[in-house]
Amino acid sequence: MATAADTPLLRVRDLTVEFVGRTSCLRAVDGVSFEVAEGETLAVVGESGSGKTATALALMRLLPAGKAQASASEVTFEGCDLMRLPESRMRELRGNRISMIFQDPMSAWNPALTIGKQVAEPIQCHELLSWPSALSRAEELLGSVRIPDPRSRSGQYPHQFSGGMRQRAMVAMALACRPRLVIADEPTTALDVTVQAQILNLLKDLTRQSGASLILVTHDLGVVARYADRVAIMYAGRIVESGSAREVYRQPGHPYTRGLLACVPRLDRPATGALTPIPGQPPSLNRLPSGCAFHPRCPHAMERCRRERPVLEHKGGQHWGACFVDFHR
Amino acid sequence: MGAICGAVVLAFLLCALLADVLAPYGPNEIMPASRLSPPSTAFPLGTDYLGRDMLSRILHGARLSLTVGLGAAALATLVALVIGLSSGYFGKRIDLLTQRFVDAWMSFPDLILLIAAVSIIGPGLVQVILVLGINSGISGSRIVRGAVLATRQSLYVHAAEAMGAGSLRILVHYVLPNIAAPVILLFTMRTGSAILTEAALSFLGLGIPPPAPSWGGMLGGTSRNFMYAAPWLAIVPGLCLLIVVFGINVVGDSLRDVLDPHHMASRRRRAAARR
């Protein structure tokens, strides 16, 4: 995958995540490679179980120890190899250079600490400010994510906040130390549709202001169209298609991407009647089909798809795809 | 019920604190002329075989019981927190080692362990607090560990890790405040049991040595020889122990109801069903 910038902020090569059980070993992420340029928003799209979250957690090195193993030939962030960094250095990066926003704002807050204190924690932790100055920074941050009356709100506990406000405060916390990379793992899944747009706009505005890159993990293609510069579509632990958001939207190449787009109503095209779902179920990771993992559900499946596994190939522009079928039919 | 027992516990605290003011005589003041006198206006709870006023001894004994109870419970909570937090939070080998040690410790009957420990380090107030505190702290660490394991799995602990917080910060800011409820309960329950166990040890002559007015010691020792002739010698300290320990346990129970939202919800559901 080529990006415009000379040295990308994050470069991932052949990332593999395996969940090790007593008798079996599931490969949740299988040789994924991608790059994120400075200030770019990359959307990682896929169904549940396609390895999106595992990829995000592997980058932060927060996979459950002893249960999951990540390996990669390269994970370079700002020139550091994240896979080989000692845990103490990794801890300095987390929340400081790379931060993460979780899916569920209801349970991602410590119920026993005030919101202000929790937003202030990464500041106090990484920038070694005193508590009072960290707290006043936290109030400013809460104001910048448009929480009304941040001064009194910062003294309140998570249960006194609504879901949308909690997620906005989460955005404030993630951006507290001006990170270079923000990983948002389905940041709006647990929220109302009206609130979703607010959060995403906020995230986009604030990352643009600070020049941070954003990895937006989502299963919502509508989100992608509006907020992402580039898109990577994942299926069964692999990237099946990637490209600029425009390319993937205008000329989706992989049958899976086409299938996904066909199940979303489009406002930019005349209505064509019923939406077409993708037949079948996503495969279970311990019984992956031979060849291309998508072939049992693919309308264009050929004999070759059953035998061989397609690799990610350059299809022109920034567009890459893993499919034997002609992309630009 | 909780309120009544709260009042009983409060009265016990006041007696312990104001023993010097409330007691009509000194706890060890011997009045040979009035040995073994039954309860009267001069001696509301009678006197013992040396002519010591029982009321004064009970009041000063309350102070002793309170010291042992709170001291041992505080030490127990500390020990339980140290073992439980490290075992539950760090897991793996540390968890395995400490938990097998706790298993081994808990497989001994408490009283036998305590008697052995006291006979090694000798009787005395500080010794009794140490032995009781460490012993009940080790078994109490199970409760702390369980609570830590549950909290450790929660998303906010993962979020704190993602924010770059170190182990100590997570333990103090994220785990500890969220296990406060069971820890407070542990403390109250251990106070009651420490008072009772101290009485048992003193009754056996292994706790706080005479002439200190320990309730257990007043029940045991020489006064046992006079119990038929002077039943108040056994009834008064026995009744005091019963009331105080019962009171503390009921207060602990009501605290659990207040602190545990799940328990509260199920109670409310049950009450609604009854209606």
Side-chain angles (χ1 to χ4, degrees), chain A residues 232-243:
Chain A
I233 312 276
M234 286 188 76
Y235 188 78
R238 292 167 157 260
I239 292 180
V240 293
E241 178 167 3
S242 77

Side-chain angles (χ1 to χ4, degrees), chain A residues 60 62 65 91 94-96 98-100 102 104 107-113 118 121-122 124-126 131 170 173, chain B residues 92 151 153-170 172-179:
Chain A
M60 296 288 279
L62 283 174
R91 205 184 296 144
R94 284 187 205 129
N96 190 15
I98 312 178
S99 64
M100 188 153 181
F102 288 88
D104 184 6
S107 50
W109 289 99
N110 179 354
L113 275 187
Q118 292 187 66
E121 275 222 309
Q124 196 252 338
C125 189
H126 294 295
W131 260 114
M170 197 53 97
M173 184 155 95
Chain B
K92 289 182 205 154
T151 310
Q153 294 302 319
S154 59
L155 189 58
Y156 54 83
V157 170
H158 289 298
E161 282 171 347
M163 189 198 80
S167 303
L168 192 66
R169 181 182 288 265
I170 292 179
V172 174
H173 283 183
Y174 291 80
V175 177
L176 208 51
N178 287 295
I179 60 165

Side-chain angles (χ1 to χ4, degrees), chain A residues 280-302:
Chain A
Q281 292 284 319
S284 158
L285 286 176
N286 53 11
R287 274 180 283 115
L288 278 186
S290 62
C292 172
F294 188 61
H295 87 253
R297 304 172 72 186
C298 181
H300 308 288
M302 307 177 288

